Amino acid sequence: MALFLDFDGTLAPIREEPDCVYLPPEGAEILLAVSARLEERLVILSGRDVRDLTRRVPQELWRAGGHGAQICAPGTAPSDVLTAAPPELVQRLQQIASPYPGVVMERKGEVLALHYRGAAEAGPQLKAQMSAAVAGFRGYSLQTGKMVIEARPDHADKGKSVAAFMRRREFSGRVPLMIGDDTTDEAAMQACLQAGGAAIKVGAGASVAPFRLDGPEDVWNWLREGLN
């Protein structure tokens, strides 16, 4: 197996403040043990900036940040400088977010996210305004998730990332499995299914995944069982 794991909502509960999300106690130890069992074919595939992701999961794992646009192999540190989003788009999204108390803009390299857990009612307005703003930037599109709307370049796609990993020599001959909780994970799940693998949806909601787990605690129980 080649195992792909989302971070927020899959390995840790989603929080109102993204900076407050961490692995549970013994989480790093379990991930390292599973990775060793899979001969380092375990990838943490997240929408987070890979530098941020590396602060939250062991550096000995594969890390794919920015929805797969930023890759770090086991034992390697991320670059201090990532490709940034167009400054004009950054400025426009800051202007969109500023009138809404509780809306936070997060820069994730080329990906920009507006988190609105603190202003849930603002979702439709934010989506409409962001859609108009992104329309002026070639190669960018919107992606919605759980109380977040992201402007991302077309190559920042979890499905494309899974496909690229499976073309790597290290992953040759492996069967891919994706575990994720959000709409941003569906493309990766679909890629796994198309490659003859499997997918597990965490939590409620429509999904292409044929299997489900209720929440992060169940994901950890599943990982522990795999070590027995």
Side-chain angles (χ1 to χ4, degrees), residues 3-5 32 35 38-46 50 53-54 57-65 70-76 165 168-171:
L3 180 58
F4 297 86
L5 297 169
L32 290 172
S35 180
L38 297 176
E39 300 175 303
E40 293 191 339
R41 274 71 170 186
L42 184 154
V43 181
I44 308 299
L45 178 54
S46 173
V50 73
L53 186 62
T54 297
V57 303
Q59 189 167 294
E60 293 83 0
L61 303 175
W62 283 96
R63 288 140 289 140
Q70 309 152 356
I71 306 295
C72 277
T76 63
F165 267 103
R168 287 177 176 264
R169 175 182 53 80
E170 302 98 319
F171 287 74

Side-chain angles (χ1 to χ4, degrees), residues 37 41 75 127 152 154:
R37 181 71 61 89
R41 274 71 170 186
K127 184 175 180 180
R152 63 174 179 84
D154 294 339

Side-chain angles (χ1 to χ4, degrees), residues 142-174:
L142 285 192
Q143 179 167 266
T144 60
K146 293 180 178 178
M147 296 296 184
V148 63
I149 308 170
E150 294 179 317
R152 63 174 179 84
D154 294 339
H155 63 269
D157 179 281
K158 289 187 178 183
K160 293 177 181 178
S161 180
V162 166
F165 267 103
M166 299 312 296
R167 290 193 295 268
R168 287 177 176 264
R169 175 182 53 80
E170 302 98 319
F171 287 74
S172 177
R174 298 281 171 147

Side-chain angles (χ1 to χ4, degrees), residues 116-134:
Y116 60 96
R117 287 188 172 274
E121 72 288 347
Q125 299 98 307
L126 290 171
K127 184 175 180 180
Q129 290 177 279
M130 286 183 69
S131 180
V134 168

Side-chain angles (χ1 to χ4, degrees), residues 87-100 103 105 107 112 114:
E88 298 86 356
L89 181 58
V90 174
Q91 182 180 27
R92 183 71 188 103
L93 295 196
Q94 286 174 331
Q95 292 170 344
I96 290 172
S98 60
Y100 299 96
V103 174
M105 190 182 86
R107 300 190 194 189
L112 301 172
L114 293 190

